[in-house]
Amino acid sequence: MKITQKIQQSADNDKIWWSFEYFPPRTAQGLQNLLDRIERMRALGPEFIDITWNAGGRTSDLTSEMVKTCQGLIGMETCMHLTCTNMPKEKVDIALREAKQHGCRNVLALRGDPPSGKDEWEAVEGGFIHGIDLVKHIRRDYGDYFDIAVAGFPQHMALPPDERDQEIQWLKEKVDAGVAFIFTQMFYDVQMFIDWVKAIRAAGITIPVVPGIAPIQTWNGFQRATSLAKIVVPQFFLDALEPIKNDDEKVREVGTRLVADMCRRILKEDIGIRGLHFYTMNLEKGTKMLLEELNLVPRIETIKPLPWRQSLTPNRRQETIRPIFWANRTKSYISRTENWDEYPNGRFGDSRSPAYGELDGYGVWIKQTKEDALKLWGHPTSFADIASLFARFCTKKLSALPWSDQAPSRETSVIAEQLATMNEFGFLTINSQPAVNGARSDDPVFGWGPSNGYVYQKAYLEFFVNPTLLNLLLTHIERDSNITYYVINKRGDLRTNTHSDGPNAVTWGVFPGKEIIQPTIVEAVSFMAWKDEAFELGQQWAKLYEANSPSQNLITELMDTCFLVNVVHNNFHEPDAIFKPFLKAGAEYVAAKAKATAVNGH
Amino acid sequence: MKITQKIQQSADNDKIWWSFEYFPPRTAQGLQNLLDRIERMRALGPEFIDITWNAGGRTSDLTSEMVKTCQGLIGMETCMHLTCTNMPKEKVDIALREAKQHGCRNVLALRGDPPSGKDEWEAVEGGFIHGIDLVKHIRRDYGDYFDIAVAGFPQHMALPPDERDQEIQWLKEKVDAGVAFIFTQMFYDVQMFIDWVKAIRAAGITIPVVPGIAPIQTWNGFQRATSLAKIVVPQFFLDALEPIKNDDEKVREVGTRLVADMCRRILKEDIGIRGLHFYTMNLEKGTKMLLEELNLVPRIETIKPLPWRQSLTPNRRQETIRPIFWANRTKSYISRTENWDEYPNGRFGDSRSPAYGELDGYGVWIKQTKEDALKLWGHPTSFADIASLFARFCTKKLSALPWSDQAPSRETSVIAEQLATMNEFGFLTINSQPAVNGARSDDPVFGWGPSNGYVYQKAYLEFFVNPTLLNLLLTHIERDSNITYYVINKRGDLRTNTHSDGPNAVTWGVFPGKEIIQPTIVEAVSFMAWKDEAFELGQQWAKLYEANSPSQNLITELMDTCFLVNVVHNNFHEPDAIFKPFLKAGAEYVAAKAKATAVNGH
């Protein structure tokens, strides 16, 4: 969505909004960390995020990659910076084409800083010289597709009047060339900012202005940023901060108060500004403190329209249904379905492409490095060792498994004890959800979707299990007509008690004035595609150990002989019913093993 | 669906099934009555129905019309008889083409009786001579599309051996020409039937045999039918029936026992027969008594897969969603949407054609004759008279309204008192449903769909109301954020508090192993199409009265000035909440009128 639309919507609802700016990091690990952070900071409720373009171009591909991930995987509206520095026209065109492909509708067109190591800005051959040339180029090639932003400099109010007027005149020309809104450079002199807004308004610039707010995180950072961009800092900022400059904690505390005062003044002033753009410097704490100080609380609805994160890539925007199997591996699901013509919307069956992408090239990998993995999972030498890892993961005593990068979700803790027991019996759970019979849509644990709605879930369990225990389980399962299941082995032999091959909705919501939304389903074709991945992750775990070591042999044999099973209890009015067959089968299994041991002992 | 498939399904589930035969009546009124009866008898659970072809052809178009109505409107699988009598090839082809169009997959090919007034059968010019010619013709033109049945005659066992063998040989030849199953003629000598089945099996006829069972309804009817077709009647039938032949009640009672014994014997005998085909003679009682005597209870699932009746016309078979507005006028909905390319399935928005057919030519009529209508509704001369009619309809003291041919459905009785009160206040309700928060799918009042499911409804009210009362109502409605409404007048000015124009699901069901089914919705475009019909029905009521009579003027003015309103209470956890704004607004309205009267009185 275009940022001007978001600004308009917030104005219509008389709501204050905010956004976050990030810059591409220098290393791959840094990128992964930043993406994790962007995802976490999504919970702070930014309306959109803004990714800078790295002058010098070394990391410019990263910008495009980050835009793709933020739009498609994290599901946040993104604004992409684009600078003229070191950018021949062809590179500009590639960047714009990719941005459009990823669903990005917002570009900040900048001349940019001089390339590193140079003092003066110079155009690259075949490149653009002024920001306005870039604006015109984008408008010519893409019409109205992008909201184009340019930078505004409140700082210019410190220039001699004729220079200042000249700058405002240049800004006016850029705006007239087709600019939709203005981001300002950071500032700390709020009066200067207000004067500047009034000056550009007087000059006939009527498009929205978004003030750039830089939280004060450390004294050094603050000093470096303000001196680099020659930002005017009011004396009372320095008076308050300098005495405590060696205490980072205090600097953030005092800085937060100072900047918050500035923000309040901006929002109070009669200049029509209802949004704040935070220069996060890729840091979390300062921005978070500032939002808390300003009492800007994220709206639930902004955050969780569906139980899983929606993608903002153009052809996925209508997607409203996904199979439950990839709940802990969204990125893999998105990759493996990247080439679908249409994405399931309303019903899964309507538009599902028959094919999931093959595993090769889709990066089915264990996220941990070998070193971290061994630290996490040790060297299991018996099935009991493995079962214990799974059980400890359920109760959050272990932070990850090869099948789950993150700790179990909050809703899973409701059934953590039952899951731990299952795992101790030998049902190695890799996915689950508890039954929910009509929680309110604003429920802190289970809620999603618009307000005044109710959400529901059928209990779901997915696990690896050995053939003997599976047979015991199935005799109990077959006695409960409310249970449907799919059993598959590594080879792909499928067994099920469902009569239709249509999808089973396991999460749905009922909302005022809407059709029923059913975002999560269990379905055979998807399960078979997921199976490859689930077994492959086990193989990869085995490969972390030395060839023919006891741990490798143990895990390899487990993957070769066990079954992957999913079970849905269709009666969501009885939350505990799904566990009963497992407890019975588990107890029988333990008794049989004890008996066998006793017999062998004699 | 083909009847052989149904037979196979029942065999797979080891279930006994039954079917009903009807014949086309001679008059239009008779047709309407019969269709009403077929619809009622649907509740007895026949797997399919069978419509005879009227020899002589006078009413052959009626057969086609009945097949259309039964498949498309009543939603029952139908078998169509087709005879050679008086049928040139062109007429046969028209009948087959239309049957296919209506979704009929079953044809009983007969030579037929001689035309009325003639003793000997003779072929019409360009027609077929033998049943086998008709069978071959259908196979040649339609391949496997139709299940072709032929008649079998257990009676032939009474013939001399060579004649009997000749008849069985002819049957074998027909079967070999592509017959799928055999309906037998009626019989009362069960041993003869069993012998005949064994004889045709011995002759190599392996297709299913469906015994034709004729309930005994009156002595005269029984005598006429058996003598006309020269049916062998065992002496003990006559011994039991003749002494009581003047007491219809008793004949039915004893006859039911006799025929039931026969049926039990057939089903018990080891000849693989699990289905009974009842010759109803268009009568209800005899068949019903027989089914009760046999303890053959209809299965819920056969009867109500959705809360409304599904159509079996080929292109409507996948239809799973309809707007609520036509709940009491299914026939009109089916007519007005007859030309849609696709029917809403899963989601309403997916496949809805933008256009509803115009009213002209779609038979928007008050079903009652003028005489019956005046008897029902009298000559209202005040708004209070009209409101009283509506209130009495809600409490079943009046059997019909211009907007509803039938008494309110069983589920509506739950809210009958509240509806009556609303009507007394001046909200003239024409459609409604109570809120349901998860009733079991086998609930006798609210249930539908497969077993082990739960069904839900949002409370719904639709009514005419005058502008003053509407304004009072809206102030109360706006205070409940769970209510969404649409208001429209005769001209089509629409007012709503919904933000999206997407559909609102008001009935849905959750079932094991399935996506959520949401068969009833409220939606703006459909409401606007329905509005024309709702106001037109009022106009037609007015026209029943003399021009410029007080009743005509009253109703006409009402239709010209009132609004049609629909209201959904989205919180289905609070069944009574929808009525609150009506009670408040109604009380205020009454108080204001009382005050006005008092002031005028002074």
Side-chain angles (χ1 to χ4, degrees):
Chain A
M1 189 187 280
K2 289 179 172 181
I3 289 171
T4 49
Q5 279 175 280
K6 289 196 162 254
I7 295 175
Q8 187 58 48
Q9 276 179 6
S10 296
D12 293 346
N13 300 322
D14 198 25
K15 281 184 177 163
I16 294 168
W17 59 267
W18 52 97
S19 52
F20 298 160
E21 182 171 300
Y22 301 96
F23 60 86
R26 279 159 196 270
T27 63
Q29 190 55 44
L31 176 64
Q32 189 52 55
N33 291 345
L34 177 59
L35 291 172
D36 288 350
R37 174 165 288 168
I38 291 175
E39 178 137 12
R40 258 196 326 275
M41 288 177 73
R42 192 181 198 276
L44 298 174
E47 276 296 320
F48 61 90
I49 60 172
D50 185 38
I51 315 276
T52 68
W53 194 262
N54 197 284
R58 264 196 322 188
T59 53
S60 57
D61 283 339
L62 256 187
T63 298
S64 188
E65 184 65 27
M66 280 182 69
V67 168
K68 179 179 177 181
T69 304
C70 293
Q71 290 274 141
L73 189 67
I74 307 183
M76 301 192 69
E77 290 295 347
T78 306
C79 178
M80 180 182 82
H81 289 214
L82 196 53
T83 67
C84 303
T85 308
N86 277 357
M87 288 287 283
K89 194 176 155 305
E90 297 71 38
K91 279 191 83 170
V92 166
D93 286 336
I94 291 170
L96 289 169
R97 193 172 64 233
E98 290 184 353
K100 185 174 175 184
Q101 254 166 30
H102 305 144
C104 169
R105 304 290 305 260
N106 305 282
V107 170
L108 172 58
L110 294 166
R111 195 194 64 169
D113 302 319
S116 60
K118 299 203 175 169
D119 280 342
E120 284 297 305
W121 197 91
E122 53 188 52
V124 71
E125 206 179 307
F128 300 97
I129 299 172
H130 300 292
I132 191 170
D133 302 325
L134 185 52
V135 172
K136 286 178 177 167
H137 176 72
I138 300 172
R139 272 277 167 270
R140 192 169 46 238
D141 280 13
Y142 287 89
D144 276 346
Y145 181 81
F146 290 108
D147 252 10
I148 304 173
V150 293
F153 296 86
Q155 206 62 21
H156 288 157
M157 294 310 280
L159 296 174
D162 53 337
E163 283 184 48
R164 178 193 64 202
D165 292 348
Q166 179 59 66
E167 291 286 354
I168 292 178
Q169 196 45 45
W170 283 332
L171 180 61
K172 175 82 167 62
E173 283 167 20
K174 269 196 269 193
V175 169
D176 291 346
V179 167
F181 68 100
I182 296 166
F183 281 121
T184 77
Q185 201 182 27
M186 63 189 277
F187 58 88
Y188 291 107
D189 187 331
V190 68
Q191 188 57 51
M192 184 178 276
F193 167 75
I194 293 165
D195 292 342
W196 176 79
V197 172
K198 288 178 178 169
I200 66 164
R201 293 289 181 242
I205 297 173
T206 57
I207 58 173
V209 169
V210 181
I213 309 294
I216 296 172
Q217 324 228 25
T218 63
W219 173 255
N220 285 340
F222 172 67
Q223 284 289 86
R224 198 164 45 239
T226 50
S227 69
L228 196 74
K230 303 189 184 75
I231 301 294
V232 173
V233 180
Q235 190 56 42
F236 70 95
F237 270 68
L238 301 173
D239 292 348
L241 293 168
E242 191 150 22
I244 51 168
K245 66 183 180 185
N246 293 320
D247 186 340
D248 285 357
E249 201 68 35
K250 275 212 165 146
V251 167
R252 260 201 298 274
E253 209 180 296
V254 174
T256 296
R257 258 201 320 275
L258 289 168
V259 178
D261 284 342
M262 188 176 90
C263 293
R264 279 189 279 262
R265 170 94 193 273
I266 294 167
L267 296 169
K268 220 179 63 185
E269 196 73 21
D270 191 20
I271 47 177
I273 289 176
R274 310 296 291 158
L276 303 168
H277 183 63
F278 292 100
Y279 293 117
T280 67
M281 301 304 289
N282 290 4
L283 298 172
E284 193 164 351
K285 208 160 188 181
T287 302
K288 190 155 181 262
M289 285 169 70
L290 198 44
L291 285 168
E292 282 164 359
E293 173 72 24
L294 287 165
N295 211 10
L296 294 178
V297 182
R299 280 165 274 155
I300 290 287
E301 270 191 74
T302 343
I303 293 177
K304 223 176 170 186
L306 288 176
W308 41 264
R309 192 70 54 71
Q310 261 183 307
S311 173
L312 297 178
T313 310
N315 61 343
R316 288 196 100 116
R317 274 176 186 259
Q318 301 304 315
E319 183 183 25
T320 61
I321 305 190
R322 289 183 187 168
I324 196 169
F325 314 116
W326 284 268
N328 301 320
R329 295 183 57 80
T330 306
K331 192 169 181 181
S332 162
Y333 181 73
I334 290 189
S335 296
R336 292 185 65 186
T337 60
E338 197 163 45
N339 296 320
W340 285 9
D341 295 330
E342 254 189 296
Y343 292 90
N345 171 256
R347 307 182 71 200
F348 193 74
D350 282 351
S351 49
R352 187 192 56 204
S353 150
Y356 280 84
E358 292 304 315
L359 291 184
D360 311 352
Y362 282 96
V364 177
W365 70 107
I366 293 185
K367 199 178 173 183
Q368 285 72 17
T369 62
K370 182 172 173 175
E371 197 190 344
D372 287 347
L374 296 184
K375 215 179 286 168
L376 274 169
W377 305 318
H379 289 75
T381 53
S382 69
F383 182 78
D385 289 348
I386 293 181
S388 154
L389 288 175
F390 278 77
R392 283 169 55 216
F393 177 75
C394 295
T395 50
K396 300 202 179 180
K397 286 169 199 139
L398 181 67
S399 66
L401 281 178
W403 294 269
S404 300
D405 299 331
Q406 300 161 358
S409 65
R410 255 174 98 190
E411 59 160 6
T412 312
S413 25
V414 177
I415 50 171
E417 287 308 320
Q418 287 101 317
L419 291 175
T421 307
M422 276 182 65
N423 281 288
E424 281 152 13
F425 277 137
F427 303 103
L428 306 178
T429 60
I430 60 170
N431 198 355
S432 67
Q433 68 174 22
V436 175
N437 182 14
R440 292 192 55 93
S441 57
D442 56 5
D443 183 279
V445 177
F446 299 108
W448 53 274
S451 49
N452 287 327
Y454 292 96
V455 301
Y456 296 81
Q457 292 179 183
K458 292 178 180 173
Y460 176 77
L461 291 170
E462 186 185 331
F463 51 91
F464 291 109
V465 65
N466 72 53
T468 315
L469 185 50
L470 174 64
N471 284 336
L472 289 172
L473 177 69
L474 290 181
T475 50
H476 291 289
I477 277 185
E478 304 272 6
R479 285 180 203 146
D480 185 340
S481 61
N482 272 303
I483 293 184
T484 44
Y485 66 83
Y486 290 91
V487 172
I488 201 163
N489 61 10
K490 195 177 152 195
R491 262 217 324 272
D493 307 317
L494 186 74
R495 175 174 168 189
T496 176
N497 68 340
T498 59
H499 299 302
S500 76
D501 57 6
N504 187 355
V506 293
T507 300
W508 66 101
V510 184
F511 305 99
K514 292 194 183 301
E515 293 196 78
I516 312 301
I517 300 175
Q518 40 186 338
T520 315
I521 53 107
V522 163
E523 184 261 349
V525 175
S526 307
F527 183 58
M528 296 186 72
W530 161 246
K531 175 272 298 184
D532 295 335
E533 200 165 325
F535 280 99
E536 175 63 23
L537 285 163
Q539 308 286 5
Q540 295 206 0
W541 181 19
K543 282 185 198 149
L544 293 177
Y545 300 97
E546 271 185 45
N548 288 316
S549 63
S551 292
Q552 181 173 77
N553 289 345
L554 175 71
I555 301 169
T556 305
E557 200 203 328
L558 179 66
M559 287 298 115
D560 285 347
T561 56
C562 74
F563 289 86
L564 179 66
V565 182
N566 76 56
V567 169
V568 176
H569 199 284
N570 288 282
N571 192 343
F572 51 100
H573 288 206
E574 296 177 13
D576 292 325
I578 194 168
F579 294 105
K580 286 180 192 160
F582 292 89
L583 299 181
K584 285 184 194 157
E588 286 171 9
Y589 185 59
V590 169
K593 277 201 298 188
K595 202 173 156 194
T597 314
V599 169
N600 292 338
H602 276 283
Chain B
M1 190 188 278
K2 289 179 172 180
I3 288 171
T4 48
Q5 279 175 280
K6 287 192 165 258
I7 293 174
Q8 187 55 51
Q9 276 178 6
S10 295
D12 292 345
N13 299 322
D14 196 25
K15 281 182 176 164
I16 293 168
W17 60 267
W18 51 97
S19 52
F20 298 160
E21 182 171 300
Y22 301 97
F23 60 83
R26 281 159 194 270
T27 64
Q29 189 57 42
L31 176 64
Q32 188 54 57
N33 291 347
L34 176 59
L35 290 172
D36 289 350
R37 173 166 288 169
I38 292 175
E39 178 138 11
R40 256 197 326 276
M41 287 177 73
R42 191 181 199 278
L44 297 175
E47 276 298 319
F48 62 88
I49 59 173
D50 185 38
I51 315 276
T52 68
W53 194 263
N54 195 285
R58 263 198 323 190
T59 53
S60 58
D61 284 338
L62 256 187
T63 299
S64 187
E65 183 67 27
M66 279 180 70
V67 168
K68 179 179 178 182
T69 304
C70 293
Q71 288 274 141
L73 190 65
I74 305 181
M76 301 191 70
E77 290 295 347
T78 306
C79 178
M80 181 181 81
H81 289 213
L82 196 52
T83 67
C84 303
T85 310
N86 276 356
M87 288 287 285
K89 194 177 155 303
E90 296 72 38
K91 278 189 86 172
V92 166
D93 287 336
I94 291 170
L96 289 169
R97 193 172 63 233
E98 290 184 353
K100 184 173 177 185
Q101 254 166 32
H102 305 144
C104 170
R105 305 289 304 261
N106 305 283
V107 170
L108 172 58
L110 294 166
R111 195 193 65 169
D113 302 319
S116 59
K118 300 201 174 169
D119 280 341
E120 285 294 308
W121 197 90
E122 53 187 53
V124 72
E125 207 180 307
F128 300 96
I129 298 171
H130 300 292
I132 192 171
D133 303 327
L134 185 53
V135 171
K136 286 179 177 166
H137 176 72
I138 300 172
R139 273 279 169 269
R140 193 166 47 238
D141 280 14
Y142 286 89
D144 277 345
Y145 182 80
F146 289 108
D147 251 8
I148 304 174
V150 293
F153 296 86
Q155 206 61 25
H156 288 158
M157 293 310 282
L159 295 174
D162 55 337
E163 283 186 47
R164 178 192 63 199
D165 292 347
Q166 178 60 65
E167 291 287 352
I168 292 179
Q169 196 46 48
W170 283 332
L171 179 62
K172 174 84 166 63
E173 283 167 19
K174 270 196 267 191
V175 168
D176 291 345
V179 167
F181 68 101
I182 296 167
F183 280 121
T184 78
Q185 201 182 27
M186 61 190 280
F187 59 88
Y188 291 107
D189 186 330
V190 68
Q191 189 56 52
M192 183 179 277
F193 168 74
I194 291 166
D195 293 343
W196 176 79
V197 172
K198 289 178 177 168
I200 67 165
R201 292 286 180 246
I205 297 174
T206 57
I207 58 173
V209 169
V210 181
I213 309 294
I216 298 172
Q217 325 230 21
T218 63
W219 173 256
N220 286 339
F222 172 66
Q223 284 290 85
R224 197 164 46 239
T226 48
S227 68
L228 197 74
K230 303 188 184 76
I231 301 294
V232 174
V233 180
Q235 189 57 40
F236 69 96
F237 269 68
L238 300 172
D239 292 348
L241 294 167
E242 192 151 24
I244 50 167
K245 65 181 180 186
N246 293 319
D247 185 341
D248 286 357
E249 201 68 35
K250 274 209 166 148
V251 167
R252 259 201 298 271
E253 212 178 293
V254 173
T256 297
R257 256 197 325 272
L258 290 168
V259 177
D261 285 343
M262 186 175 92
C263 294
R264 276 188 280 262
R265 169 95 192 273
I266 294 168
L267 296 171
K268 219 178 63 186
E269 196 73 21
D270 191 21
I271 46 176
I273 289 177
R274 309 297 290 158
L276 304 167
H277 183 64
F278 293 100
Y279 294 118
T280 68
M281 301 305 289
N282 290 3
L283 297 172
E284 193 165 350
K285 210 163 186 175
T287 303
K288 190 157 181 260
M289 284 169 70
L290 196 43
L291 285 168
E292 283 163 0
E293 174 72 22
L294 286 165
N295 212 10
L296 293 177
V297 182
R299 278 165 274 156
I300 288 286
E301 270 190 74
T302 344
I303 292 176
K304 225 178 171 186
L306 288 178
W308 41 263
R309 193 69 55 71
Q310 260 183 309
S311 173
L312 296 180
T313 310
N315 61 343
R316 289 196 99 116
R317 273 176 187 258
Q318 300 304 315
E319 182 182 24
T320 60
I321 305 191
R322 289 183 186 168
I324 197 171
F325 313 117
W326 284 268
N328 302 317
R329 294 182 59 79
T330 305
K331 193 169 181 182
S332 161
Y333 181 72
I334 289 188
S335 297
R336 291 185 66 184
T337 60
E338 197 162 42
N339 296 319
W340 284 9
D341 296 328
E342 254 187 296
Y343 292 90
N345 170 256
R347 307 183 70 201
F348 193 75
D350 283 351
S351 50
R352 188 192 56 206
S353 150
Y356 280 85
E358 292 304 314
L359 291 185
D360 310 354
Y362 283 95
V364 177
W365 71 106
I366 292 185
K367 197 178 175 184
Q368 286 70 19
T369 62
K370 182 172 174 174
E371 197 188 346
D372 288 346
L374 296 184
K375 216 180 285 169
L376 274 169
W377 306 318
H379 288 75
T381 54
S382 69
F383 181 79
D385 289 348
I386 293 181
S388 154
L389 288 174
F390 277 78
R392 282 169 57 214
F393 177 75
C394 295
T395 50
K396 301 201 177 179
K397 286 169 199 139
L398 181 67
S399 66
L401 281 179
W403 293 269
S404 300
D405 299 333
Q406 301 162 354
S409 66
R410 254 174 100 189
E411 59 159 7
T412 312
S413 30
V414 177
I415 50 170
E417 287 307 320
Q418 287 102 316
L419 291 174
T421 308
M422 275 183 65
N423 280 288
E424 280 153 15
F425 277 137
F427 302 102
L428 307 178
T429 58
I430 60 170
N431 198 353
S432 66
Q433 69 175 24
V436 175
N437 182 15
R440 291 190 57 92
S441 57
D442 57 4
D443 183 279
V445 177
F446 299 108
W448 53 272
S451 51
N452 287 328
Y454 292 96
V455 301
Y456 295 81
Q457 292 180 183
K458 292 179 180 174
Y460 176 77
L461 292 169
E462 186 184 331
F463 51 91
F464 291 109
V465 64
N466 72 53
T468 314
L469 184 51
L470 174 64
N471 284 335
L472 289 171
L473 176 69
L474 289 181
T475 50
H476 292 289
I477 276 185
E478 303 273 7
R479 283 180 205 146
D480 185 341
S481 61
N482 272 303
I483 293 184
T484 44
Y485 66 82
Y486 291 91
V487 172
I488 202 164
N489 61 12
K490 195 175 150 195
R491 262 215 325 271
D493 308 317
L494 186 75
R495 178 175 166 188
T496 176
N497 68 340
T498 59
H499 298 303
S500 76
D501 56 8
N504 186 357
V506 294
T507 301
W508 65 101
V510 185
F511 304 99
K514 290 192 184 303
E515 292 197 77
I516 312 300
I517 301 176
Q518 39 187 337
T520 316
I521 53 106
V522 163
E523 184 262 349
V525 175
S526 307
F527 184 58
M528 295 187 73
W530 161 246
K531 174 271 299 184
D532 295 336
E533 199 165 327
F535 280 100
E536 176 63 24
L537 285 162
Q539 308 286 4
Q540 295 206 1
W541 182 20
K543 281 185 195 146
L544 293 177
Y545 300 97
E546 273 187 40
N548 288 315
S549 64
S551 290
Q552 180 172 79
N553 289 346
L554 174 71
I555 300 169
T556 304
E557 200 202 326
L558 179 66
M559 287 296 115
D560 285 348
T561 57
C562 74
F563 289 86
L564 179 67
V565 183
N566 75 57
V567 169
V568 176
H569 200 286
N570 288 283
N571 193 342
F572 51 101
H573 288 207
E574 297 177 13
D576 292 325
I578 194 168
F579 295 106
K580 286 180 189 160
F582 291 89
L583 299 180
K584 286 185 192 156
E588 286 171 9
Y589 186 61
V590 169
K593 278 201 296 188
K595 201 171 157 194
T597 315
V599 168
N600 292 339
H602 277 282

